[in-house]
Amino acid sequence: MSSRREFLARSGALVVSFSLARVGFAQEGGAAAKPAAAPELAGSLKKTPYLDSWIRIDANNTITVFTGKSELGQGVRTALQQIAAEELDVAFDGLKLITADTDLTPNEGYTSGSNSLKDSGSAIRAAAAQVREMLVDEAAKRWNVPAGSLRADKATVIAPDGRKLTYGELVAGQNLHVEARPGAKMKDPAQYEVVNRSVPRVDIPAKVTGGAAYVHDIRLPGMLHARVVRPPSYVAVLTSVDAAAVEKRAGVIKVIRDANFLAVVAEREWTAVKAMNDLAAAARWEEKASLPDAQKLPAFLTALPSEDVTLVDRTAPPAEGVKTLEATYTRPYQAHGSIGPSCAVAQLKDGVLMVWSHTQGVYPDRDAIAEMLGMAPEKVRCIHAEGAGCYGHNGADDAAADAALIASFMPGKPIRVQWMREDEHSWEPYSPPMVTGVQATLDAAGSISSWDYGVWSNTHNARPGKAGDLLAGRHLASPFTPSPPALGSQPDGLG
């Protein structure tokens, strides 16, 4: 795998430094005028305002677009490729899209909350429009003609007299550093040729033909298979384990224990599964009751220490009510129940840890794994590989931490960890329980005169960023503490 620096160092690439000048515009009337607010960059360009973080064009006319968002089955790879192709004026299949990879793509945090097109789509659209403008301007300069007389089509700039220059020819041998501003001219939707058409999903063919579509399908040379023996309950302590018989089993490479973290590594997956079962039978745990009574969960939830946030508070003039209606709605903890159990592959080689994961956030997962292992974040590379849908936060990050931790005990060896179905249903981050109380008053005409709506809930976000947010991080001899619950508000927080 090449690093981003190596990736960008190849000759003949368009490399653009993007800076945002603070410009004030005086109003008519002059001296007393207040500077107008500078126009904002689109979406994730606010955090990553460099065009070379989003688009690369090589001298051979190869076009690569980068996004920090992950394909989770929502079709975002196809949509973002359409957006980039449209604004760059290239064919849909005339570019390559690279999704979340901490060595190559922008840091766009988590892929969640239906924000991919709002954040990444708008950034790619603006970046692509600006790159297209730059290429047309470069062609105009070479031909000494007005830029407005030229058009772009299929990664080529064309003059009225038929002269053509490919995008690759326009950037060959140059390092272009330009100061870019918000407000690149987007294409008129009436001229769309890609965005307004249905195209086949790029992620579907391999999935329906048995191809290598998922992280579960990754096979690396010399790869070993691992399974983790989970505690029987959340606060159980591993007091002893007799691993001698398991370690002697044919095909077993290593039994790994660090306090409450217990795993076995084998040459073949089925060997690892059988060894895991034997290891679990040989383990002795000390348990104590720690879970609330499931039958009294609503009362338990509303009695917990809490912090309130007001989303809407609109006070109307008092109204006489003739009827008051009240109701309480509850829901228990919910398993996400992903069709495919969580899985990850990791390899520690030459001091660099590579992790392939179906995480919703490669950068937060990288940072959490780095903290857990005491490594510098730049020595951990987290690459998104599709999983079988997440439907909310599942065990992807924890499986990645399992694989990374086991790989740290076995440098050079690729380690594949796939959870068992019982692991997924017992240990994934459950969606939290909720209690909703509603009260409404009706007036004589039957119209609502007052309305009160309250929700009690645990935090809806236990995704990593810290080592304590990973199961493996909490099971070590020197355990990490989970991040405290965070109070969030709409549009991205709570239920």
Side-chain angles (χ1 to χ4, degrees), residues 184-237:
K185 186 178 179 181
M186 310 292 182
K187 286 183 67 175
D188 183 343
Q191 298 176 341
Y192 281 174
E193 297 180 353
V194 183
V195 164
N196 64 341
R197 295 184 182 179
S198 178
V199 298
R201 283 264 298 266
V202 297
D203 60 311
I204 294 296
K207 294 174 180 175
V208 299
T209 59
Y214 299 109
V215 63
H216 308 70
D217 301 318
I218 292 176
R219 297 294 185 271
L220 300 178
M223 188 175 74
L224 301 175
H225 297 268
R227 284 295 192 276
V228 178
V229 176
R230 300 289 173 196
S233 57
Y234 287 142
V235 296
V237 175

Side-chain angles (χ1 to χ4, degrees), residues 67 80 83 108 115-126:
T67 174
L80 294 178
I83 290 170
E108 294 195 81
N115 287 320
S116 291
L117 293 188
K118 176 174 71 71
D119 294 340
S120 202
S122 61
I124 288 173
R125 183 187 182 208

Side-chain angles (χ1 to χ4, degrees), residues 121-435:
S122 61
I124 288 173
R125 183 187 182 208
Q130 213 147 21
V131 167
R132 171 174 42 80
E133 280 188 342
M134 292 163 49
L135 295 170
V136 170
D137 288 344
E138 174 64 19
K141 178 181 171 184
R142 294 190 188 183
W143 291 330
N144 195 27
V145 298
S149 68
L150 306 179
R151 63 184 179 90
D153 183 54
K154 303 295 187 294
T156 302
V157 178
I158 305 168
D161 60 8
R163 284 180 291 177
K164 297 180 180 180
L165 284 170
T166 66
Y167 288 176
E169 290 170 324
L170 288 165
V171 301
Q174 297 187 44
N175 250 355
L176 303 178
H177 295 275
V178 300
E179 200 172 85
R181 298 180 299 277
K185 186 178 179 181
M186 310 292 182
K187 286 183 67 175
D188 183 343
Q191 298 176 341
Y192 281 174
E193 297 180 353
V194 183
V195 164
N196 64 341
R197 295 184 182 179
S198 178
V199 298
R201 283 264 298 266
V202 297
D203 60 311
I204 294 296
K207 294 174 180 175
V208 299
T209 59
Y214 299 109
V215 63
H216 308 70
D217 301 318
I218 292 176
R219 297 294 185 271
L220 300 178
M223 188 175 74
L224 301 175
H225 297 268
R227 284 295 192 276
V228 178
V229 176
R230 300 289 173 196
S233 57
Y234 287 142
V235 296
V237 175
L238 182 59
T239 56
S240 67
V241 58
D242 183 357
V246 173
E247 290 174 321
K248 293 176 183 176
R249 182 191 290 274
V252 170
I253 305 298
K254 191 179 185 69
V255 172
I256 294 169
R257 181 188 175 185
D258 187 327
N260 291 329
F261 184 85
L262 183 62
V264 60
V265 183
E267 293 176 350
R268 300 176 65 84
E269 185 168 18
W270 182 234
T271 304
V273 172
K274 291 191 292 183
M276 174 203 67
N277 290 331
D278 289 347
L279 197 60
R284 298 293 175 264
W285 301 84
E286 180 182 304
E287 296 188 81
K288 62 180 179 180
S290 62
L291 298 179
D293 184 340
Q295 302 303 315
K296 300 177 181 178
L297 191 57
F300 172 81
L301 187 66
T302 54
L304 287 172
S306 62
E307 185 179 354
D308 297 340
V309 60
T310 300
L311 299 182
V312 178
D313 186 359
R314 295 176 184 162
T315 303
E320 289 294 328
V322 296
K323 187 175 184 180
T324 298
L325 302 176
E326 293 184 71
T328 299
Y329 303 93
T330 66
R331 70 165 223 171
Y333 287 97
Q334 300 277 355
H336 296 102
S338 295
I339 294 171
S342 296
C343 181
V345 177
Q347 182 179 22
L348 179 62
K349 187 176 181 181
D350 300 327
V352 175
L353 178 66
M354 303 275 289
V355 182
W356 290 265
S357 169
H358 54 115
T359 174
Q360 289 176 256
V362 290
Y363 280 92
D365 204 19
R366 177 202 66 176
D367 293 347
I369 289 171
E371 181 186 10
M372 179 182 73
L373 298 178
M375 298 178 68
E378 59 269 21
K379 292 295 185 179
V380 178
R381 180 179 180 184
C382 192
I383 304 167
H384 184 267
E386 287 188 61
C390 57
Y391 322 114
H393 180 205
N394 64 5
D397 306 294
D398 299 308
D402 294 340
L405 180 58
I406 295 168
S408 73
F409 283 91
M410 307 183 70
K413 295 294 185 180
I415 303 296
R416 180 182 182 272
V417 173
Q418 180 171 305
W419 282 18
M420 305 299 290
R421 181 73 64 183
E422 56 267 32
D423 293 334
E424 190 75 33
H425 292 332
S426 300
W427 284 97
E428 63 139 294
Y430 274 36
S431 183
M434 300 172 71
V435 175

Side-chain angles (χ1 to χ4, degrees), residues 56-75:
R56 171 186 170 87
I57 301 175
D58 288 321
N60 63 2
N61 224 28
T62 298
I63 301 171
T64 309
V65 176
F66 305 91
T67 174
K69 297 298 185 180
S70 304
E71 176 62 66
L72 304 173
Q74 78 279 43

